[in-house]
Amino acid sequence: QMQLVESGGGLVQTGGSLTLACAASGRTSWWSFSTYAIGWFRQAPGQAREFVAAVDWSGNNVYYSDSVKGRFTISRDNAKNTANLQMNSLLPEDTATYFCAANSVAVGQTDYTKPTDYTYWGQGTQVTVAS
C-alpha cells in the first residue's frame, strides 16, 4: 500500500506563493510510483472535493482546472517518489485543504479530474489565503 503525505501548507497573503509537496512511501516492492498519475484536489468547508491539477506517470503531460491555470504548476520527481504543486498569485478563493492522490487508471481511460479514479490519498494540508 502506498502512503501519501502532503506538506507545505500555511497562511499567505493574497498574491503570495506556496509550494505544496507530496511524498509517497510504503512497501515500494509492491508498487512503483512512476506507474501512477498524481493529482491535487482541494476541499473548502461545506464544498465538494475539487480537481486542481494532475500530472501523468511520465511527467510530460499536465492538466489544470480553469481556476488555477496560469497560476499553479504541477511537477513530479519519480526518482524521489515526490510531486509538487507550485502555487503563485494566490487568491482568497484558493483557501482549502489540499490533497494529493495517486491514480492507476490506464492512460486514455481517465481524464484525471474524477476523485473516484484515484486509489491512494494523503491526509491533506491546509492553505489559507488572507485578503
Side-chain angles (χ1 to χ4, degrees), residues 9-18 87 90-92 95 127-131:
L11 173 65
V12 65
Q13 296 296 314
T14 297
S17 299
L18 283 174
M87 306 187 297
L90 283 161
L91 302 169
T95 295
V127 171
T128 303
V129 184
S131 57

Side-chain angles (χ1 to χ4, degrees), residues 68-86:
V68 307
K69 197 173 296 182
R71 300 188 296 123
F72 290 12
T73 303
I74 189 171
S75 61
R76 68 186 296 159
D77 186 336
N78 287 337
K80 296 181 179 179
N81 289 353
T82 60
N84 285 350
L85 184 69
Q86 172 69 44

Side-chain angles (χ1 to χ4, degrees), residues 20-88:
L20 304 184
C22 175
S25 63
R27 289 197 175 189
T28 55
S29 59
W30 290 4
W31 49 264
S32 174
F33 182 75
S34 63
T35 64
Y36 289 81
I38 299 298
W40 284 93
F41 291 78
R42 66 188 181 187
Q43 188 167 21
Q47 303 293 318
R49 193 161 293 190
E50 173 191 20
F51 169 75
V52 174
V55 56
D56 74 353
W57 65 273
S58 69
N60 292 329
N61 297 292
V62 295
Y63 310 86
Y64 298 98
S65 68
D66 288 342
S67 62
V68 307
K69 197 173 296 182
R71 300 188 296 123
F72 290 12
T73 303
I74 189 171
S75 61
R76 68 186 296 159
D77 186 336
N78 287 337
K80 296 181 179 179
N81 289 353
T82 60
N84 285 350
L85 184 69
Q86 172 69 44
M87 306 187 297
N88 297 326

